[in-house]
Amino acid sequence: MGDIVEQARHFGRTVLAAAPAPDVETVYDDRHPLWEQFRSADLADWWVPAEYGGRGVGLCESVNVVSELSYHDAGFAFAAFLPILASRMLELYGPEELARRYLAEMATHGSFAAALGSEAEAGSELARTQTTFRRDGDVLHINGDKQFSTNLAFARFCLVLARDVDNPRDFALILVPSDSPGFVVGQRWPMSGLHGTATYPATFTDCVVPAANRLSGNGIRILEVGLDASRILMASIAIGLTRRIRDLSMDYAASKRLGGQPLNRNAVFGARMGQLEMELETMKAQCRCAAAEYDDIYQRSDRAAVFYADGVLKSAIVAKMHCGQVGWRVASRASEAFGGLGYTAGHDIQRCLRDMRHIAIVEGGDDVLRELLYGRYVKRASRRG
């Protein structure tokens, strides 16, 4: 299998670093040359368990993989790891036959999977979901509209959050194959950052799938479990971007002169870079802590039940919030330090700034996560650490 972190580092330095910077038209789908090289290097879907033919890489190593990829291209890193959201939910709570079919395909072909939760009216308030399903014998009929789903247009399957028409308190996650009649992917959303990723809305009009495609358990709780892994990896994008900002700043300081001396000899600049290095280490520590807790649970034989009981891992939320907030401060200061260059559209620092902003928005905005922390871990005295 080899050292996957070293493989990711090599791929970043030799392939991503040499590729043209993505723009708003770029789509890292399963036909893009970079994805084909990634897949050929046996890096795609690296977390899929060995029992399904995958590499079974844990989240601790995955944090480093994503950091290496995002150092060069945060959009590629996001597109590459996001299928863990749907695939991990399917693995833990889907019927074995269904999980084996789709996860084995991901391991073999490096294919994509997507998840659909948010809606125009409900936003991140998943309990207000208006997409519905109705059981009719051995099939489910799905109707409704979803808002944001990355990789959806080329995913082999998606998991859709819907509520039961006959029991509005019953929420389900339902696997919908990409070729299902009544399932239509809308026009791609243009995003300000994370160029190369492709995010779409979707409409379900009497979309019929087998009743066996429903995952076991409450759909909202299952989605919370899935987001634990993807939020930790979202946070690790900020680590890669911060490392990139540090190195770009040092390169700039070596040639930029201030008061007749190279900027890297300036005491104020040195102090700021020392502060950045401290902040980078706190980001790494938060991600490592969250990933280690996740891996400890995942290695248990009763992992599905343990994850389900908690739903939201406190460490995952903290990692995403901390890395997003600290990373944004780092990127904003760097943009100022580069002056006019730091605000030009084609500059690497401006690209890092745009990409970093997404950390606090994607996979649950900070206000949503603050409310989760308060409701799950502060309001209940028994759960305060």
Side-chain angles (χ1 to χ4, degrees):
M1 180 171 73
D3 184 343
I4 190 167
V5 177
E6 183 55 41
Q7 287 179 281
R9 183 178 297 116
H10 179 76
F11 183 86
R13 290 174 176 173
T14 61
V15 179
L16 293 181
D23 56 27
V24 294
E25 302 298 325
T26 304
V27 177
Y28 289 137
D29 59 14
D30 52 356
R31 295 173 296 178
H32 193 281
L34 287 182
W35 187 257
E36 291 179 352
Q37 292 181 69
F38 195 65
R39 182 168 47 202
S40 297
D42 193 27
L43 287 168
D45 299 330
W46 64 84
W47 59 86
V48 175
E51 64 190 279
Y52 299 115
R55 299 184 66 164
V57 176
L59 223 59
C60 286
E61 284 185 288
S62 295
V63 163
N64 293 326
V65 169
V66 173
S67 173
E68 292 297 335
L69 298 176
S70 57
Y71 180 95
H72 301 281
D73 190 337
F76 186 89
F78 184 56
F81 82 69
L82 193 57
I84 196 175
L85 171 57
S87 66
R88 188 53 53 89
M89 292 188 290
L90 175 60
E91 174 196 345
L92 293 174
Y93 304 105
E96 173 58 25
E97 185 278 330
L98 206 63
R100 184 163 297 279
R101 182 196 319 169
Y102 285 100
L103 295 179
E105 179 181 312
M106 292 181 73
T108 302
H109 301 293
S111 56
F112 288 88
L116 296 107
S118 67
E119 298 179 359
E121 290 297 321
S124 296
E125 295 181 272
L126 299 180
R128 294 179 56 211
T129 293
Q130 297 302 305
T131 299
T132 62
F133 71 93
R134 174 176 55 85
R135 180 156 186 165
D136 181 13
D138 293 333
V139 299
L140 303 176
H141 297 256
I142 307 171
N143 287 278
D145 299 288
K146 293 294 185 181
Q147 196 81 338
F148 299 107
S149 181
T150 300
N151 298 336
L152 181 64
F154 40 90
R156 281 285 293 115
F157 70 92
C158 62
L159 294 181
V160 183
L161 180 68
R163 67 163 74 229
D164 190 339
V165 168
D166 299 318
N167 180 11
R169 294 184 178 182
D170 180 22
F171 294 88
L173 270 174
I174 304 165
L175 186 147
V176 177
S178 58
D179 57 356
S180 299
F183 167 42
V184 177
V185 178
Q187 185 175 358
R188 179 189 179 193
W189 289 96
M191 293 298 185
S192 299
L194 295 180
H195 289 164
T197 61
T199 302
Y200 307 86
T203 299
F204 298 88
T205 306
D206 200 29
C207 177
V208 180
V209 299
N213 283 21
R214 175 176 180 169
L215 274 59
S216 177
N218 179 281
I220 294 178
R221 179 52 64 95
I222 296 171
L223 186 55
E224 288 181 346
V225 172
L227 285 166
D228 284 334
S230 59
R231 281 172 176 157
I232 294 169
L233 297 184
M234 193 75 209
S236 66
I237 284 183
I239 294 174
L241 287 171
T242 300
R243 292 171 50 229
R244 176 72 169 167
I245 289 168
R246 176 197 60 194
D247 293 350
L248 288 169
S249 298
M250 290 302 296
D251 289 344
Y252 176 69
S255 58
K256 176 69 175 178
R257 301 185 75 82
L258 183 65
Q261 296 290 326
L263 182 59
N264 59 14
R265 295 185 184 179
N266 180 272
V268 174
F269 173 81
R272 289 181 176 178
M273 294 306 295
Q275 175 73 16
L276 184 155
E277 195 68 16
M278 180 275 292
E279 291 170 329
L280 176 59
E281 288 304 307
T282 69
M283 295 162 72
K284 291 178 181 179
Q286 289 291 346
C287 279
R288 288 169 183 155
C289 175
E293 181 181 9
Y294 187 97
D295 282 346
D296 284 346
I297 298 173
Y298 185 77
Q299 290 164 9
R300 294 176 54 157
S301 60
D302 60 346
R303 56 182 174 268
V306 176
F307 278 127
Y308 192 86
D310 281 335
V312 174
L313 284 182
K314 182 179 182 180
S315 59
I317 298 176
V318 170
K320 182 179 177 298
M321 290 179 67
H322 179 76
C323 290
Q325 292 172 20
V326 173
W328 176 247
R329 291 199 299 270
V330 168
S332 181
R333 289 198 302 260
S335 179
E336 294 172 10
F338 275 72
L341 286 175
Y343 203 61
T344 55
H347 198 280
D348 283 343
I349 285 292
Q350 180 59 207
R351 179 183 169 193
C352 288
L353 185 76
R354 293 194 309 267
D355 290 345
M356 191 73 83
R357 191 70 191 102
H358 281 65
I359 309 300
I361 299 172
V362 180
E363 303 292 88
D366 274 5
D367 280 339
V368 174
L369 300 187
R370 290 185 186 101
E371 185 178 354
L372 272 174
L373 278 176
Y374 176 69
R376 303 288 178 90
Y377 292 99
V378 179
K379 194 174 181 179
R380 304 179 189 178
S382 62
R383 302 195 72 185
R384 294 176 194 160

mmCIF file of all heavy atoms in Angstrom, residues 353-368:
data_model
loop_
_atom_site.group_PDB
_atom_site.id
_atom_site.type_symbol
_atom_site.label_atom_id
_atom_site.label_comp_id
_atom_site.label_asym_id
_atom_site.label_seq_id
_atom_site.Cartn_x
_atom_site.Cartn_y
_atom_site.Cartn_z
ATOM 1 N N LEU A 353 -7.138 33.220 0.064
ATOM 2 C CA LEU A 353 -8.143 33.959 0.827
ATOM 3 C C LEU A 353 -9.549 33.472 0.467
ATOM 4 O O LEU A 353 -10.371 33.207 1.352
ATOM 5 C CB LEU A 353 -7.993 35.456 0.552
ATOM 6 C CG LEU A 353 -8.892 36.392 1.354
ATOM 7 C CD1 LEU A 353 -8.392 36.530 2.780
ATOM 8 C CD2 LEU A 353 -8.945 37.782 0.688
ATOM 9 N N ARG A 354 -9.838 33.364 -0.815
ATOM 10 C CA ARG A 354 -11.166 32.912 -1.255
ATOM 11 C C ARG A 354 -11.435 31.483 -0.786
ATOM 12 O O ARG A 354 -12.536 31.173 -0.323
ATOM 13 C CB ARG A 354 -11.273 32.977 -2.782
ATOM 14 C CG ARG A 354 -11.246 34.376 -3.373
ATOM 15 C CD ARG A 354 -11.700 34.374 -4.817
ATOM 16 N NE ARG A 354 -10.998 33.398 -5.627
ATOM 17 C CZ ARG A 354 -9.905 33.654 -6.334
ATOM 18 N NH1 ARG A 354 -9.384 34.874 -6.315
ATOM 19 N NH2 ARG A 354 -9.313 32.717 -7.053
ATOM 20 N N ASP A 355 -10.433 30.638 -0.912
ATOM 21 C CA ASP A 355 -10.627 29.244 -0.501
ATOM 22 C C ASP A 355 -10.820 29.136 1.011
ATOM 23 O O ASP A 355 -11.654 28.362 1.487
ATOM 24 C CB ASP A 355 -9.429 28.398 -0.933
ATOM 25 C CG ASP A 355 -9.366 28.198 -2.433
ATOM 26 O OD1 ASP A 355 -10.368 28.458 -3.123
ATOM 27 O OD2 ASP A 355 -8.295 27.765 -2.924
ATOM 28 N N MET A 356 -10.053 29.906 1.765
ATOM 29 C CA MET A 356 -10.127 29.834 3.223
ATOM 30 C C MET A 356 -11.497 30.269 3.733
ATOM 31 O O MET A 356 -11.980 29.746 4.746
ATOM 32 C CB MET A 356 -9.041 30.701 3.847
ATOM 33 C CG MET A 356 -8.861 30.501 5.341
ATOM 34 S SD MET A 356 -8.060 28.928 5.762
ATOM 35 C CE MET A 356 -6.330 29.372 5.543
ATOM 36 N N ARG A 357 -12.133 31.196 3.043
ATOM 37 C CA ARG A 357 -13.423 31.690 3.516
ATOM 38 C C ARG A 357 -14.455 30.575 3.576
ATOM 39 O O ARG A 357 -15.384 30.614 4.406
ATOM 40 C CB ARG A 357 -13.937 32.814 2.598
ATOM 41 C CG ARG A 357 -15.129 33.546 3.182
ATOM 42 C CD ARG A 357 -14.692 34.377 4.378
ATOM 43 N NE ARG A 357 -15.818 34.899 5.153
ATOM 44 C CZ ARG A 357 -16.234 34.374 6.302
ATOM 45 N NH1 ARG A 357 -15.624 33.322 6.817
ATOM 46 N NH2 ARG A 357 -17.244 34.910 6.954
ATOM 47 N N HIS A 358 -14.316 29.592 2.725
ATOM 48 C CA HIS A 358 -15.305 28.515 2.661
ATOM 49 C C HIS A 358 -15.271 27.594 3.873
ATOM 50 O O HIS A 358 -16.247 26.902 4.140
ATOM 51 C CB HIS A 358 -15.100 27.683 1.381
ATOM 52 C CG HIS A 358 -15.673 28.329 0.160
ATOM 53 N ND1 HIS A 358 -15.194 29.502 -0.337
ATOM 54 C CD2 HIS A 358 -16.696 27.951 -0.659
ATOM 55 C CE1 HIS A 358 -15.892 29.832 -1.428
ATOM 56 N NE2 HIS A 358 -16.800 28.925 -1.635
ATOM 57 N N ILE A 359 -14.150 27.578 4.603
ATOM 58 C CA ILE A 359 -14.043 26.648 5.729
ATOM 59 C C ILE A 359 -15.130 26.919 6.764
ATOM 60 O O ILE A 359 -15.684 25.995 7.363
ATOM 61 C CB ILE A 359 -12.648 26.744 6.400
ATOM 62 C CG1 ILE A 359 -11.528 26.614 5.351
ATOM 63 C CG2 ILE A 359 -12.501 25.674 7.483
ATOM 64 C CD1 ILE A 359 -11.529 25.324 4.584
ATOM 65 N N ALA A 360 -15.455 28.185 6.989
ATOM 66 C CA ALA A 360 -16.455 28.555 7.993
ATOM 67 C C ALA A 360 -17.874 28.513 7.440
ATOM 68 O O ALA A 360 -18.811 28.844 8.162
ATOM 69 C CB ALA A 360 -16.146 29.944 8.541
ATOM 70 N N ILE A 361 -18.033 28.125 6.186
ATOM 71 C CA ILE A 361 -19.357 28.126 5.554
ATOM 72 C C ILE A 361 -19.804 26.725 5.180
ATOM 73 O O ILE A 361 -20.935 26.312 5.486
ATOM 74 C CB ILE A 361 -19.335 29.029 4.295
ATOM 75 C CG1 ILE A 361 -18.993 30.469 4.683
ATOM 76 C CG2 ILE A 361 -20.669 28.958 3.558
ATOM 77 C CD1 ILE A 361 -18.752 31.382 3.505
ATOM 78 N N VAL A 362 -18.926 25.968 4.496
ATOM 79 C CA VAL A 362 -19.273 24.638 3.998
ATOM 80 C C VAL A 362 -19.367 23.636 5.151
ATOM 81 O O VAL A 362 -18.653 23.757 6.148
ATOM 82 C CB VAL A 362 -18.218 24.174 2.968
ATOM 83 C CG1 VAL A 362 -18.551 22.783 2.433
ATOM 84 C CG2 VAL A 362 -18.155 25.172 1.803
ATOM 85 N N GLU A 363 -20.265 22.665 5.030
ATOM 86 C CA GLU A 363 -20.454 21.624 6.044
ATOM 87 C C GLU A 363 -20.967 22.195 7.374
ATOM 88 O O GLU A 363 -20.640 21.684 8.443
ATOM 89 C CB GLU A 363 -19.154 20.850 6.289
ATOM 90 C CG GLU A 363 -18.567 20.203 5.053
ATOM 91 C CD GLU A 363 -19.424 19.066 4.519
ATOM 92 O OE1 GLU A 363 -20.337 19.354 3.710
ATOM 93 O OE2 GLU A 363 -19.205 17.916 4.897
ATOM 94 N N GLY A 364 -21.767 23.250 7.282
ATOM 95 C CA GLY A 364 -22.326 23.887 8.470
ATOM 96 C C GLY A 364 -21.588 25.160 8.803
ATOM 97 O O GLY A 364 -20.406 25.127 9.138
ATOM 98 N N GLY A 365 -22.278 26.311 8.684
ATOM 99 C CA GLY A 365 -21.674 27.590 9.014
ATOM 100 C C GLY A 365 -21.379 27.703 10.507
ATOM 101 O O GLY A 365 -21.928 26.966 11.329
ATOM 102 N N ASP A 366 -20.529 28.648 10.856
ATOM 103 C CA ASP A 366 -20.113 28.781 12.253
ATOM 104 C C ASP A 366 -21.283 29.049 13.196
ATOM 105 O O ASP A 366 -21.299 28.542 14.323
ATOM 106 C CB ASP A 366 -19.069 29.891 12.388
ATOM 107 C CG ASP A 366 -17.658 29.382 12.117
ATOM 108 O OD1 ASP A 366 -17.522 28.205 11.736
ATOM 109 O OD2 ASP A 366 -16.699 30.163 12.284
ATOM 110 N N ASP A 367 -22.257 29.843 12.770
ATOM 111 C CA ASP A 367 -23.398 30.104 13.654
ATOM 112 C C ASP A 367 -24.188 28.828 13.927
ATOM 113 O O ASP A 367 -24.671 28.611 15.050
ATOM 114 C CB ASP A 367 -24.316 31.161 13.034
ATOM 115 C CG ASP A 367 -23.785 32.574 13.238
ATOM 116 O OD1 ASP A 367 -22.970 32.777 14.155
ATOM 117 O OD2 ASP A 367 -24.197 33.472 12.476
ATOM 118 N N VAL A 368 -24.314 27.985 12.919
ATOM 119 C CA VAL A 368 -24.987 26.694 13.101
ATOM 120 C C VAL A 368 -24.217 25.831 14.089
ATOM 121 O O VAL A 368 -24.795 25.195 14.986
ATOM 122 C CB VAL A 368 -25.132 25.963 11.752
ATOM 123 C CG1 VAL A 368 -25.699 24.558 11.945
ATOM 124 C CG2 VAL A 368 -26.031 26.759 10.803
#
